[in-house]
Amino acid sequence: MTEKRGSPRTRALKSGRIMFNHGSSSIDCTIRNLSASGAKLLVENALGLPDEFLLMCADDRNYKCTVRWRKLNEMGVSFDAAI
């Protein structure tokens, strides 16, 4: 299988928070892998989340994200910008 990512990913086990609705809604998540261009997130239910949101990492890094794929409780996102 050919790797399609533009940058290598590393395994992670970090906590994060997904912020949406102009900051009025949020949901906790776990960051399972991370690269310079995106991440895989575990959530309770990925199906009801918006396609774009702000990811706030526990290490004080924040990213504007776009969902690239989703399953029941996980999703892959690309980083549009670091904030």
Side-chain angles (χ1 to χ4, degrees):
M1 185 183 300
T2 303
E3 180 67 43
K4 295 180 181 180
R5 289 176 184 82
S7 55
R9 64 180 171 169
T10 58
R11 288 184 182 188
L13 184 57
K14 299 180 179 189
S15 62
R17 181 171 295 267
I18 296 170
M19 303 290 293
F20 54 102
N21 288 338
H22 304 287
S24 64
S25 301
S26 69
I27 185 171
D28 291 331
C29 67
T30 303
I31 302 165
R32 293 299 295 151
N33 69 42
L34 190 60
S35 74
S37 59
K40 177 181 175 182
L41 308 177
L42 296 182
V43 293
E44 195 168 309
N45 185 353
L47 301 179
L49 294 174
D51 292 333
E52 295 181 342
F53 54 81
L54 177 67
L55 174 63
M56 300 177 69
C57 301
D59 60 5
D60 293 328
R61 289 188 279 176
N62 300 323
Y63 300 95
K64 182 178 175 196
C65 298
T66 300
V67 175
R68 297 300 174 189
W69 60 267
R70 67 177 85 214
K71 294 183 181 176
L72 182 60
N73 67 340
E74 61 186 12
M75 63 182 147
V77 298
S78 64
F79 298 148
D80 300 330
I83 299 174

